[in-house]
Amino acid sequence: MIQTIKWEKNCIYIIDQRKLPGIKEWLVCRTFQDVIAAIREMAIRGAPAIGVAAAMGLALGSQSIKTEKYKTFMRRFLEMAERMKLARPTAANLRWAVDRMVKIVEKMSDNNVEEIKSTIKKESQVILERDIEINFRIGHNGQGLIPDRATILTHCNAGALATGGYGTALGVIRAANEAGKNIRVIVDETRPLLQGVRLTAFELMEENIPVTVIVDSAAGYLMRKKMIDLIITGADRIASNGDMANKIGSYQLAVIAKENKIPFYVAAPLSTFDLDLKNGDLIPIEEREPGEVISFAGHIIGPEGVDAFNPVFDITPAKYISAIITERRVIKSPYKSSIRNLFATEDVIGTDMK
Ligand code: MRU
């Protein structure tokens, strides 16, 4: 399983996902600004992975704050935290990780600055390690939903690369495969940056899980032809009513799935939930460079000067979601109450990782 991010000798190493699968190259981030750029330019992407990168980026940035005074340290750290939150707007995990780091610094006002720096560096490592454990749990909890011999459609990349490791949606697929189920995966290419064909197909081939790539617009045809048994995606943010934001194109998959009576599952950790939001319409949707739309694999394909619009996430209303798979358990509609109960229970791993 490919590793996404690591900390070595005071630098953060990120596997540069823009170059995969052709080139496996570590991008070296020596400063806080390097990490922000890596997130913004999508050298690292996927909601949980950018949460881990944000935590590590803040820990790295804190090393460069030259003061012994707690107040000065805190002021500079908060400035960094605010800048980090702006790197990408949609994924809840990024804000979650930043807020978690800030809370730790807030609690350490009686400690000296060197102790604080060392604690938050350790914490960023804990966030990475716990994310991998959480994904194993999501996989374990979700694999029961996958029948033997199922053909599963997935969108974008919610795999090891999008997380600390193992993956959310791909974690469930991996766990079903490890449980001996004979499964096949259909992955759509995921325009404009092709995370499906480049990253998901690559991860599944590494695991020897049979995978077939389709163009995004073929998904409806395959569903109507009964060539898909279920769909599973990750999520970037889930509102308190169960509406969720995920890679652009998820909404249309969910609607066509319902029309064809195909279950549409979402796999995500608790850190992806945003309980402050009443519904999905309040989730900020990132819009990226129009140039991504008129290019294919780095080559401009549109006529010079053509207008383009590039929202990179969409909202799938809860009514289209058959179940949400988390590290605690699988929840179903009515989501308002099942999400409330999910966060009310104290159990197993990760209660302190809410
Ligand atoms: O723009 P990206 O590649 O960061 O979008 C990623 C997705 O939409 C994933 O499905 C989502 O972050 C869940 S990853 C476990």
Side-chain angles (χ1 to χ4, degrees):
M1 185 172 63
I2 190 159
Q3 198 181 357
T4 324
I5 186 164
K6 61 182 180 184
W7 186 313
E8 259 178 37
K9 295 187 197 130
N10 275 337
C11 292
I12 295 169
Y13 288 75
I14 283 171
I15 193 93
D16 192 341
Q17 299 192 30
R18 297 165 298 185
K19 298 187 174 167
L20 288 173
I23 301 171
K24 284 183 204 157
E25 192 175 280
W26 290 103
L27 178 74
V28 187
C29 298
R30 293 188 169 81
T31 64
F32 163 75
Q33 288 83 351
D34 290 345
V35 180
I36 292 197
I39 295 173
R40 190 169 287 144
E41 289 157 22
M42 293 177 65
I44 185 161
R45 32 66 48 202
I50 62 179
V52 173
M56 285 194 178
L58 280 177
L60 181 68
S62 75
Q63 312 286 324
S64 67
I65 304 177
K66 302 277 176 260
T67 181
E68 285 172 12
K69 291 191 185 126
Y70 174 81
K71 264 196 177 165
T72 313
F73 178 83
M74 186 54 162
R75 186 174 39 78
R76 300 266 314 275
F77 189 76
L78 285 177
E79 281 164 17
M80 285 183 177
E82 285 313 306
R83 282 172 62 195
M84 183 59 85
K85 279 185 185 172
L86 298 176
R88 288 192 78 192
T90 303
N93 313 60
L94 190 148
R95 297 184 135 258
W96 169 88
V98 171
D99 289 343
R100 188 173 171 87
M101 299 295 270
V102 168
K103 268 190 208 136
I104 288 171
V105 180
E106 278 170 354
K107 280 192 198 146
M108 293 187 73
S109 56
D110 292 333
N111 294 71
N112 73 48
V113 166
E114 286 315 307
E115 282 167 353
I116 300 176
K117 287 180 182 175
S118 135
T119 304
I120 53 180
K121 184 175 173 185
K122 277 190 207 131
E123 180 63 18
S124 69
Q125 194 59 37
V126 169
I127 290 178
L128 169 64
E129 284 158 18
R130 293 295 285 276
D131 189 61
I132 302 172
E133 278 172 59
I134 284 167
N135 288 329
F136 280 132
R137 288 207 150 263
I138 291 174
H140 172 82
N141 290 346
Q143 73 89 8
L145 296 168
I146 314 269
D148 191 21
R149 313 176 84 76
T151 299
I152 305 159
L153 174 70
T154 190
H155 182 53
C156 193
N157 173 267
L161 287 162
T163 60
Y166 203 68
T168 54
L170 276 201
V172 175
I173 291 171
R174 262 186 237 276
N177 180 56
E178 284 159 16
K181 292 180 188 171
N182 196 357
I183 51 173
R184 282 184 58 223
V185 180
I186 308 276
V187 54
D188 58 20
E189 56 182 351
T190 317
R191 281 275 291 143
L193 297 185
L194 306 169
Q195 290 93 326
V197 58
R198 291 189 304 106
L199 308 176
T200 300
F202 164 70
E203 283 196 41
L204 289 166
M205 286 184 78
E206 272 203 326
E207 295 285 325
N208 290 319
I209 299 175
V211 53
T212 303
V213 177
I214 58 170
V215 294
D216 294 329
S217 39
Y221 171 76
L222 268 73
M223 284 191 246
R224 201 167 134 76
K225 282 280 188 189
K226 303 200 183 312
M227 293 166 75
I228 310 276
D229 298 308
L230 63 105
I231 299 179
I232 180 161
T233 71
D236 276 77
R237 202 186 289 220
I238 302 174
S240 61
N241 69 342
D243 294 352
M244 71 105 188
N246 192 48
K247 178 54 53 195
I248 192 81
S250 301
Y251 170 48
Q252 63 207 35
L253 289 176
V255 175
I256 303 173
K258 191 165 180 123
E259 169 73 14
N260 288 278
K261 301 187 174 48
I262 294 168
F264 181 92
Y265 298 122
V266 172
L270 300 186
S271 52
T272 300
F273 287 76
D274 185 343
L275 303 186
D276 292 337
L277 299 187
K278 252 173 70 186
N279 61 56
D281 292 330
L282 300 167
I283 300 176
I285 296 295
E286 178 181 3
E287 289 173 19
R288 294 182 65 84
E289 275 294 295
E292 290 179 356
V293 176
I294 56 160
S295 314
F296 188 88
H299 301 283
I300 296 176
I301 47 171
E304 209 184 313
V306 71
D307 188 31
F309 178 48
N310 191 16
V312 298
F313 298 98
D314 59 22
I315 307 297
T316 300
K319 68 176 179 183
Y320 295 109
I321 300 173
S322 312
I324 303 176
I325 305 154
T326 77
E327 65 269 36
R328 274 203 192 142
R329 57 177 176 271
V330 175
I331 57 167
K332 294 196 171 165
S333 176
Y335 286 107
K336 264 191 203 160
S337 53
S338 57
I339 291 174
R340 210 178 321 113
N341 293 337
L342 181 70
F343 281 83
T345 41
E346 294 285 319
D347 89 54
V348 222
I349 175 179
T351 27
D352 62 327
M353 299 289 282
K354 271 195 270 191

